[in-house]
Each structure stands twice: as C-alpha cells, then as structure tokens.
Amino acid sequence: MKQVDDHAAQSTPRPSAPASGSGRPAGETYVWVTGMGLTVGLTMIVLLLALVVYNGVSVFWPRHVALVEFQDDGATRFRDGTRALGVILIEQDRDMRDLTPEQRDSPNPADRREKQLFLGNRDAFGQSFAYFSAGDIERVSYPEEVIRAERMEWGDAIFFPIRLELQDADPIEADDPAFDSTLHKLVDEVNARRAAITRIERHAIGQINLQMRDLELEERFYSRQDALTPEQQAARDSVRDRMEQLRAKYEPLAAEAAALRAKQEENRLVYRLVTGDERSMPLGQVVHYYYPNRLTLAGRARLFAGHIWGFLSGYPREANTEGGIFPAIFGTFVMTLLMSVAVMPFGIMAAIYLREYAKQGPLVRAVRIAINNLAGVPSIVFGIFGLGFFVYFVGGNIDRVFYDRALPTPTFGTPGILWAALTLALMTVPVVIVATEEALAAVPRGVREGSLACGASKWQTIRYLVLPASAPGILTGLVLAMARGAGEVAPLMLVGVVALAPNLPVDAIFPFIHLERKFMHLGFHIYDLGFQSPDSEAAKPMVFATTLVLILLVVVLNLLAILVRNHLRKKYATDKF
Amino acid sequence: MNEASPDSAPAVDVAQAVRQRRVEVAQRKPEADADVNLQHIQVCNYSFFYGTTQVLFDVNMDIPERRVTALIGPSGCGKTTLLRNINRMNDLIDGIRHQGDILIGGQSVYDRYLEVISLRKRIGMVFQKSNPFPKTIYENIVYSLRVAGRNKKAELDETVERSLRGAALWDEVKDRLKESAFSLSGGQMQRLCIARAIANRPEILLMDEPCSALDPVATGKIEDLIDELKKEYTIIIVTHNMQQAARVSDRTAFFYLGKLIEYDDTQTIFMNPAEEQTEAYVSGRFG
Ligand SMILES: Nc1ncnc2c1ncn2[C@@H]1O[C@H](COP(=O)(O)OP(=O)(O)O)[C@@H](O)[C@H]1O
Ligand SMILES: [Mg+2]
C-alpha cells in the first residue's frame, strides 16, 4: 500500500499538495494538460483560418463607397478639402502617441478613434489608403452616382462621372439616360479588343518570336563558322529565307495590334474626383466598372462571383498587385503534379527494396536513419543542392550536349519548372519512403506466407498482394508529400520560381509542356506581394486572397488523393487485417 | 569443336543435365512415372535448428500417400516446424539450419536442382490462422493459377467450382464469388483457404491446426472435408485436439520436446501406445 502511494507521488510531482492526496487518479492532471495543448493548437489554427478566409473573401465583396464629410473647424483635411470618397475598411483606436492632449482628454471617445478609407485613384492622390480621425467626421453618405472602375493601370478609380467623349458622336452627359448603357457597351467593346490584342501579341506574335529565336540561333551558328561548305551555305540561305518570311508574317500582325491599340484610346470618360479636380481617361483603361451604391444584393453577389472568377482566371497586372493569379495557380498545380510523378516511383521502389529485399541489419538501419534525417534538413539546403546539381550540373550538361547552338544562352542550365519539381521530389522523397515502408510492414505475414505457399515468387507476392494492400498507405504518404511540396517556397526561389513569368509552363505551342520554363507559384506570389511590392498596404487584400487560394489548392489536392485512396481501399482491402 | 577440347564436353553435358532434371522434376506426375510416388514423404534423421536452439531431434517418419497423418504433442514440441520444412516455408527465417533430409517421392526437398517455387506448387498449405488474400473469393482461389501464368477464363472458372466444391463451400458462396473474401465467416474463410490450397491440384496437403479458431460446427465440416480429401491427397495435419486426431487420421505421430516419441496407426497410438509418455498425453494427463 505504502509503495503504491510512493509511486503515485512520483508520477505526479505536486510539491505543495498534501502527501495523502485527494484520492484523484495520478494521471488526471495530465489529461487536462494534454487536452489544453490540443485546445490551444486547434484554436490557433481555427483563428488563422478564419482570419484568412474572412480577409481573403471580403476582398471581392463590392462594398458601398462612402462620401465622408469633415467638420469645417476640425483638424482633419483631405487634400485641403473637407470631403473624402472611399470604402470604409476598418475603424480602430488611434495610436496614443499621435493624439493631441485635448483629444486624449476629450469626453467624446470618437476623438480617439480613426477610420481607414480605401480611396483608389492612386494616379491622382499618390496613395490608395488614408486614415481619418473619427471625431472629426461630421457626416457619412452614400451618393448613388459614384462609380468604381477597375483600370489597367493605377488600380481602381472612384469618382463622379461627368460625360463620355466619343470619337464619332456627341458627348453624352452623365445624367443622360443613355449614359450607362453606352458606357456598358463601350467597356464590353474595349474588353473584346483587349482580348484580341492579347491573342495576337501573346499567341501569334509569340509563336513567331519563338521560331525566330530558333532561326537566329542557327544563323549565328553559321556566321560563326570560318568557311562554309556549299551545303551549309544553302542551309544558311534557307534559314535567312525563312527569317524573311517570318518577318513578312510579323508585319501585318504588328500593324493589326497597333490599330487595335489606337482604337482603345478613341473614346474617353471624363470624371470628377472628390477634391473637385476634373480628369479623364481613355476607355481602353477600364476593365470593368459598377455603381457601388446602387447595387441590389443580388447584383452585389453577381459582382462578387465575377470578381472571384476574375481573380482566379486572370493574369496579374501592375507588379502583381492587381489582376488575377491564374499563372501562379497553374504553376503551383503543374509543379506539384510533376513532383508527385517524380517522387512516387523512386520513393516506392526505395521503400520496397528497404523493407522487402534488403537484409535487415546495421546498414539498412543506418540508411533508414539517414532517410529520416533527410526529412529534417532545412528546405533551403535542398534548394541550394537543386541549383548546384540539377540546374548547373545536369542542366548545364544537357545544354552542352543537346542545345549547344543556343549557348551561351542556357536552355536547361537555368532554373525552371523541371528542376523545381525534381528538387521538391528530392525533398519529399523521405516522406514517401517512410509512409510506404509503414504501409508495407502493415501487410500481415500470413498473407505473404499464404502467397508463397501458393507457389508465388517474392516479386509476385509484392506485385499482386503487398502493393495493392498497401496502396492506401502509400497514397497517404503522397498526400503528405504533396502538401509539403505545394506549400514550399524557399527552395523554389533558387530553382525556378519567378515573380512574373511571361509564359505558362504548359501551352498550345509545341511541345506543349515546356519543362525548361520558369513559372509562378502561389507561395512565392504571397511573399512577393506582401514583402516586395512598393505599396504593401494596397497588396494586403491580395495577400490574403492568394493565401486562401493556396490553402484551398492544398486542400483540393489532398481531397483528391484521399478520394483515390478510399477508392483503392474499397477495392483492395475490404477488411482491416 | 567438341573434339578440339574434349574437356569442355562434360561441362556442356552438366548444364544440359541440370536443365533436363529441372524439366523432369517440374513435370513429373505419378501416372507418368510408376516408381516415383510424389505423394510419399520420408523424413530421414531430420534435425532442425533456429540459430543455436535445436527444435527437432533426429526425426524419422515414413508418411504414406493418400492417408491422413496427424502430428500431436504439447505446444512448442516442433510440429509446426516440421510441417513448414516440408514445403520449405521456413526458408524465410534467418539463421536456420538442418541435418538429415526430407524426401518427397524419393527426391530431397533440398535438392539443388529443385526450385522451391515448383516444390510449393505441388504442396498445398492451410495455416492455423486463416489468411485469405484481400481480394475477391474468386481471385483468392485462382491465385495459384495466375501466378503460374495460367489465365484462361474457362480453366479458372472450372478451378473455382471444383475447389469450392472440394472444400464444401460452393453452395454457400456460388452467388457471391465477386465479393471480398473478408465478407465470409471465420469457418468459411478457413474453408476458402483449403479451397485455395487445393486449387492447383497439389499432391500433398499440409494443415497446421486448421480448426483451432473455429466453432464445433465449422470444425465438423472441415473434418468431413478432410475425410473426403484424403482420397486424392496425402494430408498431414497438426492438431491439439485428441478427439480430432482420433477421428480423422490414419496414422499419428506423437512429438515431445522436439523428439518423435511414437509413430504408429492412430488406433494403436490411442488404444495401445507403446510409450508411457504417449499414453499420458493422449489420455490427457499432461499436455
Ligand atoms: N521463428 C522462430 N525462431 C526461433 N524459434 C522458433 C521460431 N519458431 C518456433 N520456434 C521455436 O521452436 C520450437 C518449436 O516451435 P513450433 O514448431 O512452432 O511448435 P509447435 O507447433 O509444436 O507448437 C518452440 O520452442 C519455438 O519457440
Ligand atoms: Mg504450432
């Protein structure tokens, strides 16, 4: 009895508690401690997710635009005027150090608070956001005629429309009933024209440029030779001919694009800012516009969906702070897929060898420990290795052997999506090996023996029974690897990610999958937006939205793998062993 | 060429002989070769070691064909070990060693010209714990054919029906062949394993306590089955159950601490054993 008491006291060190205790079981305290650990962890995750989801989604909601009027005798002014126009984002306590003594002691708590407004019109104001003391605000109204327009440059504009100046018709005043319908039609037209320009410049001219580059390389090869044989001369002439032909094809395309561009500038929209300044812009600048204070809830929801779609499917503009993130989504997706394709066979083969064939001894144990440690190596180290080995060594040698005409311009000897995928595959291969080994080990001995007793060879046993039975576990490993790979940024910066890639890694130009291209990645996009863009305040909503997309992408990839896994589980193992 | 270097001629002959022998061994059937009986097992001065511990001591047994031979004895006396050495399942274990020999149809199971896979194809095995594969009932049965490269649908279908009938399971599962083997009950699973073991028409059937996890009804079915199967197969069954040994077997071997104490007709072992220890064991006074 005494001994039991001693034991209990040892396992729960409670120096101040009386020795006889309250009769509580010894482990009880730790239930609370461990439970609290879980609670704290879960709370933090839920809060983080809620923050990201709220901020990421609310970016796209078309909010009302407020006309804020300040007291005439107050200290707050906007550009020497008493009015500001914008979206009220937050209201918060001001920093105590910024307060005047009167404000600090003021009986009105509003004097110690401030509102943040999104003003837009960065071209005119030089800033997109401003804080105003809440106590100085006299009136807030929501004028119906305000327009918010998304532009190709300088971010959004928020203004009172004055009139449309048309090339081949009389101007239309803003209070004219035809104003809105005309503006709508014209914006649709400029968008169609912009798509046409993109088609010409990105695809047709892009293809010509690619062919031209190849021909130039060939040309340069011939011009570097001292003496040309007659055949080489003929080849060179044919190259020059083809270059001429391409140039001839290029001219009309370029002219067409230029004509379309000129048309974009034809019609102009004249508008007034809240400060009273009158400005105008060519309609070609407008991506879309709406009357934020006139919308019904349904209209608002439609716009919301449109904004989200534009964000997901669009290309970035203005140093990534505007427009969409489609290339980053696509790049992340393709890179993760390539990585999975690379990591699966190697991880599984290695695990099969380690678990099924290798003689279990000190060497195998050492290898296993090394693999586990590999999973703990900082990812940047893998990035450096990828740069040194894949990019410079492997890529450099590929260039020397297959692309020597292009040298010194590297083709594969420069960071690209293939090297990024391989680097991440190397980084995540331990995860797959460990998971596969566990899955293999979980296949019961009885099944293996039964198979051997049926006259199956070892490989047949692995192939027909062990691998199918462990497929769910292997896929779990792949899920983990994918989740880690898709969210990784540091090594990618060295081996292929760029802030703005001119082309997608997969497109309609032969050979369709361009493994040597640089690519965009959501994780790097977040870093670039949040920490590298000139106006981080303006980029903040995009950071949240992009983060949300990255999280969703990882979730979708995981769900996909889990679905496949459950399907396999149903197919192969209808019972736990 | 052979004349130029007479030394090389025997070398060619040896290689050919090896190939020849392999083919012979693989294709040998009792009816093809009257004096070789592949259902006849002889254990000659057989000792077996796991590492340094010896678990079988100089065992000698002549196991008749198409009879049921029961191995009895207290746990740990080496019954399973002997059984698993007949089809060399113990090869999987590191550090094993044997002395003496086990002959099947006069050929050593350790014959270096005998591939262990072809040996196992001729010997069916039923394990103590039923071990259906995580596949359908159908695929479980045809597994041994598939791994032998026999994939003809007609043959597979025929095999499934014959084996399941042989294992007295056909009527119960004939409508659910495409269901998972795990949907069967414990007794059905064990009979499925028996069906799987006889699918490839082996000559010998090894059973290691096949009823130890089963209820009396299922046990009865399997005992009836063994009675039926002995018409075709040489059966060696390990059992802990004295009544079972008495009911199903023709010959019984009593092992104690790795030694074969007594081996005789079942009748004799149970009614009139020669050894004191056997008498004590079968009458339940120790075990
Ligand atoms: N894989 C093994 N490694 C080492 N010893 C083993 C192994 N399998 C069985 N043994 C030992 O060999 C002896 C005989 O075992 P076994 O043949 O399983 O007995 P039985 O089937 O008669 O109960 C036992 O003492 C057991 O501990
Ligand atoms: Mg046993």
PDB file of all heavy atoms in Angstrom, chain B residues 182-195:
ATOM      1  N   PHE B 182     -13.250 -11.205 -47.312  1.00  0.00           N
ATOM      2  CA  PHE B 182     -13.440 -10.817 -45.914  1.00  0.00           C
ATOM      3  C   PHE B 182     -14.908 -10.788 -45.527  1.00  0.00           C
ATOM      4  O   PHE B 182     -15.229 -10.593 -44.367  1.00  0.00           O
ATOM      5  CB  PHE B 182     -12.812  -9.454 -45.646  1.00  0.00           C
ATOM      6  CG  PHE B 182     -11.321  -9.479 -45.746  1.00  0.00           C
ATOM      7  CD1 PHE B 182     -10.661  -8.655 -46.638  1.00  0.00           C
ATOM      8  CD2 PHE B 182     -10.583 -10.327 -44.946  1.00  0.00           C
ATOM      9  CE1 PHE B 182      -9.293  -8.690 -46.733  1.00  0.00           C
ATOM     10  CE2 PHE B 182      -9.204 -10.362 -45.041  1.00  0.00           C
ATOM     11  CZ  PHE B 182      -8.558  -9.542 -45.942  1.00  0.00           C
ATOM     12  N   SER B 183     -15.790 -10.964 -46.506  1.00  0.00           N
ATOM     13  CA  SER B 183     -17.207 -10.963 -46.152  1.00  0.00           C
ATOM     14  C   SER B 183     -17.641 -12.330 -45.637  1.00  0.00           C
ATOM     15  O   SER B 183     -18.783 -12.500 -45.244  1.00  0.00           O
ATOM     16  CB  SER B 183     -18.038 -10.556 -47.373  1.00  0.00           C
ATOM     17  OG  SER B 183     -17.869 -11.522 -48.391  1.00  0.00           O
ATOM     18  N   LEU B 184     -16.730 -13.299 -45.644  1.00  0.00           N
ATOM     19  CA  LEU B 184     -17.085 -14.640 -45.173  1.00  0.00           C
ATOM     20  C   LEU B 184     -16.944 -14.745 -43.655  1.00  0.00           C
ATOM     21  O   LEU B 184     -16.260 -13.941 -43.030  1.00  0.00           O
ATOM     22  CB  LEU B 184     -16.160 -15.676 -45.836  1.00  0.00           C
ATOM     23  CG  LEU B 184     -16.230 -15.743 -47.357  1.00  0.00           C
ATOM     24  CD1 LEU B 184     -15.168 -16.682 -47.887  1.00  0.00           C
ATOM     25  CD2 LEU B 184     -17.603 -16.180 -47.805  1.00  0.00           C
ATOM     26  N   SER B 185     -17.573 -15.779 -43.101  1.00  0.00           N
ATOM     27  CA  SER B 185     -17.424 -16.016 -41.658  1.00  0.00           C
ATOM     28  C   SER B 185     -16.094 -16.729 -41.419  1.00  0.00           C
ATOM     29  O   SER B 185     -15.434 -17.180 -42.366  1.00  0.00           O
ATOM     30  CB  SER B 185     -18.566 -16.887 -41.161  1.00  0.00           C
ATOM     31  OG  SER B 185     -18.373 -18.212 -41.620  1.00  0.00           O
ATOM     32  N   GLY B 186     -15.719 -16.875 -40.143  1.00  0.00           N
ATOM     33  CA  GLY B 186     -14.424 -17.481 -39.816  1.00  0.00           C
ATOM     34  C   GLY B 186     -14.277 -18.884 -40.398  1.00  0.00           C
ATOM     35  O   GLY B 186     -13.258 -19.214 -41.011  1.00  0.00           O
ATOM     36  N   GLY B 187     -15.323 -19.719 -40.228  1.00  0.00           N
ATOM     37  CA  GLY B 187     -15.252 -21.088 -40.744  1.00  0.00           C
ATOM     38  C   GLY B 187     -15.196 -21.113 -42.259  1.00  0.00           C
ATOM     39  O   GLY B 187     -14.460 -21.904 -42.862  1.00  0.00           O
ATOM     40  N   GLN B 188     -15.986 -20.223 -42.877  1.00  0.00           N
ATOM     41  CA  GLN B 188     -15.967 -20.163 -44.337  1.00  0.00           C
ATOM     42  C   GLN B 188     -14.607 -19.713 -44.841  1.00  0.00           C
ATOM     43  O   GLN B 188     -14.103 -20.225 -45.840  1.00  0.00           O
ATOM     44  CB  GLN B 188     -17.047 -19.194 -44.825  1.00  0.00           C
ATOM     45  CG  GLN B 188     -18.453 -19.746 -44.667  1.00  0.00           C
ATOM     46  CD  GLN B 188     -19.503 -18.723 -45.015  1.00  0.00           C
ATOM     47  OE1 GLN B 188     -19.321 -17.534 -44.766  1.00  0.00           O
ATOM     48  NE2 GLN B 188     -20.596 -19.180 -45.596  1.00  0.00           N
ATOM     49  N   MET B 189     -14.003 -18.744 -44.121  1.00  0.00           N
ATOM     50  CA  MET B 189     -12.679 -18.267 -44.538  1.00  0.00           C
ATOM     51  C   MET B 189     -11.680 -19.419 -44.523  1.00  0.00           C
ATOM     52  O   MET B 189     -10.874 -19.561 -45.440  1.00  0.00           O
ATOM     53  CB  MET B 189     -12.189 -17.176 -43.589  1.00  0.00           C
ATOM     54  CG  MET B 189     -12.715 -15.808 -43.885  1.00  0.00           C
ATOM     55  SD  MET B 189     -11.706 -14.604 -43.025  1.00  0.00           S
ATOM     56  CE  MET B 189     -12.868 -13.293 -42.802  1.00  0.00           C
ATOM     57  N   GLN B 190     -11.737 -20.247 -43.472  1.00  0.00           N
ATOM     58  CA  GLN B 190     -10.776 -21.336 -43.393  1.00  0.00           C
ATOM     59  C   GLN B 190     -11.032 -22.348 -44.511  1.00  0.00           C
ATOM     60  O   GLN B 190     -10.099 -22.869 -45.110  1.00  0.00           O
ATOM     61  CB  GLN B 190     -10.852 -21.995 -41.994  1.00  0.00           C
ATOM     62  CG  GLN B 190      -9.729 -22.972 -41.693  1.00  0.00           C
ATOM     63  CD  GLN B 190      -8.353 -22.315 -41.672  1.00  0.00           C
ATOM     64  OE1 GLN B 190      -7.918 -21.720 -42.648  1.00  0.00           O
ATOM     65  NE2 GLN B 190      -7.658 -22.419 -40.557  1.00  0.00           N
ATOM     66  N   ARG B 191     -12.310 -22.583 -44.830  1.00  0.00           N
ATOM     67  CA  ARG B 191     -12.582 -23.500 -45.929  1.00  0.00           C
ATOM     68  C   ARG B 191     -12.156 -22.886 -47.260  1.00  0.00           C
ATOM     69  O   ARG B 191     -11.728 -23.591 -48.174  1.00  0.00           O
ATOM     70  CB  ARG B 191     -14.068 -23.876 -45.951  1.00  0.00           C
ATOM     71  CG  ARG B 191     -14.345 -25.043 -44.985  1.00  0.00           C
ATOM     72  CD  ARG B 191     -15.786 -25.442 -45.014  1.00  0.00           C
ATOM     73  NE  ARG B 191     -16.613 -24.493 -44.292  1.00  0.00           N
ATOM     74  CZ  ARG B 191     -17.890 -24.237 -44.585  1.00  0.00           C
ATOM     75  NH1 ARG B 191     -18.467 -24.853 -45.597  1.00  0.00           N
ATOM     76  NH2 ARG B 191     -18.565 -23.356 -43.877  1.00  0.00           N
ATOM     77  N   LEU B 192     -12.274 -21.539 -47.341  1.00  0.00           N
ATOM     78  CA  LEU B 192     -11.765 -20.868 -48.550  1.00  0.00           C
ATOM     79  C   LEU B 192     -10.265 -21.106 -48.680  1.00  0.00           C
ATOM     80  O   LEU B 192      -9.739 -21.352 -49.781  1.00  0.00           O
ATOM     81  CB  LEU B 192     -12.055 -19.368 -48.479  1.00  0.00           C
ATOM     82  CG  LEU B 192     -11.543 -18.548 -49.657  1.00  0.00           C
ATOM     83  CD1 LEU B 192     -12.342 -18.863 -50.914  1.00  0.00           C
ATOM     84  CD2 LEU B 192     -11.590 -17.061 -49.359  1.00  0.00           C
ATOM     85  N   CYS B 193      -9.553 -21.034 -47.555  1.00  0.00           N
ATOM     86  CA  CYS B 193      -8.104 -21.267 -47.602  1.00  0.00           C
ATOM     87  C   CYS B 193      -7.806 -22.707 -48.032  1.00  0.00           C
ATOM     88  O   CYS B 193      -6.832 -22.957 -48.740  1.00  0.00           O
ATOM     89  CB  CYS B 193      -7.472 -20.963 -46.248  1.00  0.00           C
ATOM     90  SG  CYS B 193      -7.512 -19.205 -45.862  1.00  0.00           S
ATOM     91  N   ILE B 194      -8.656 -23.631 -47.601  1.00  0.00           N
ATOM     92  CA  ILE B 194      -8.455 -25.012 -48.038  1.00  0.00           C
ATOM     93  C   ILE B 194      -8.704 -25.118 -49.547  1.00  0.00           C
ATOM     94  O   ILE B 194      -7.921 -25.727 -50.287  1.00  0.00           O
ATOM     95  CB  ILE B 194      -9.385 -25.965 -47.255  1.00  0.00           C
ATOM     96  CG1 ILE B 194      -8.988 -25.955 -45.772  1.00  0.00           C
ATOM     97  CG2 ILE B 194      -9.318 -27.379 -47.821  1.00  0.00           C
ATOM     98  CD1 ILE B 194      -9.894 -26.769 -44.877  1.00  0.00           C
ATOM     99  N   ALA B 195      -9.784 -24.457 -49.986  1.00  0.00           N
ATOM    100  CA  ALA B 195     -10.077 -24.470 -51.419  1.00  0.00           C
ATOM    101  C   ALA B 195      -8.912 -23.882 -52.202  1.00  0.00           C
ATOM    102  O   ALA B 195      -8.528 -24.380 -53.264  1.00  0.00           O
ATOM    103  CB  ALA B 195     -11.354 -23.672 -51.696  1.00  0.00           C
TER     104      ALA B 195
END
